[in-house]
Amino acid sequence: MTNITFTMIKPDAVSNGYIGPILAKINEAGFRIVAMKYFHLEPEKAAEFYAVHKERPFYNDLVKYMSSGPIVAAILEKENAVEDFRTLIGATDPSKAAPGTIRNLFAKSIDANAIHGSDSDANAGIEGSFFFSQMERF
Ligand code: CMP
């Protein structure tokens, strides 16, 4: 088990003004920010990042959506990071997310679901390295 996970605050949450409240929840839950950047994810980069979902019916909409406005990407550190972060953000579909979770509080639909969290230690490593070099980690 590693102690890092990767997250993105998605375009809906950014445009709705939720960067601050979401970072506060992450902070209160005891995660340390290892790396962070605010930027526009180009469609080509989004397509590459989500290549694992290429055969899924929602792939094209997902790529379009994730490149529709700025996002915040970050690497977070905490003991049991992947599992604890997924508990903090709640179910992928916000209508099924437990009360008080980030998606329950800040997301409106399964497509625009406010935040991403890695689903395994292996993916946390791959996803973090997709966006951040070693030099950008603190
Ligand atoms: P996330 O897990 O961060 O990355 C893949 C995204 O695809 C997921 O969040 C959802 O926002 C989106 N998505 C849209 N439809 C579905 C679906 N049916 N199942 C899983 N993810 C979906």
Side-chain angles (χ1 to χ4, degrees):
M1 186 175 59
T2 67
N3 57 356
I4 64 140
T5 192
F6 172 77
T7 187
M8 290 182 287
I9 300 176
K10 299 187 181 184
D12 60 296
V14 171
S15 67
N16 287 328
Y18 295 146
I19 295 176
I22 289 175
L23 289 180
K25 292 288 259 181
I26 290 171
N27 195 31
E28 283 158 20
F31 290 87
R32 186 180 78 80
I33 296 168
V34 174
M36 176 170 278
K37 57 175 93 161
Y38 178 52
F39 64 106
H40 181 245
L41 183 57
E42 297 300 328
E44 297 73 21
K45 275 293 229 187
E48 200 186 329
F49 182 80
Y50 286 111
V52 59
H53 293 307
K54 211 167 188 156
E55 306 309 323
R56 308 286 291 273
F58 56 83
Y59 175 72
N60 287 338
D61 286 344
L62 175 62
V63 168
K64 204 184 214 178
Y65 166 66
M66 285 302 292
S67 52
S68 67
I71 64 164
V72 175
I75 296 174
L76 305 172
E77 181 182 62
K78 183 186 182 292
E79 208 175 290
N80 202 31
V82 166
E83 197 182 325
D84 286 2
F85 195 70
R86 284 177 77 82
T87 302
L88 178 67
I89 68 179
T92 305
D93 181 348
S95 70
K96 295 179 183 142
T101 58
I102 289 175
R103 284 171 172 153
N104 167 256
L105 293 170
F106 303 115
K108 290 186 181 60
S109 73
I110 192 166
D111 302 300
N113 66 353
I115 193 158
H116 169 82
S118 303
D119 64 3
S120 67
D121 289 340
N123 282 337
I126 292 166
E127 293 170 0
S129 298
F130 187 88
F131 288 109
F132 297 100
S133 70
Q134 279 306 326
M135 295 281 292
E136 294 171 304
R137 301 177 190 213
F138 299 94

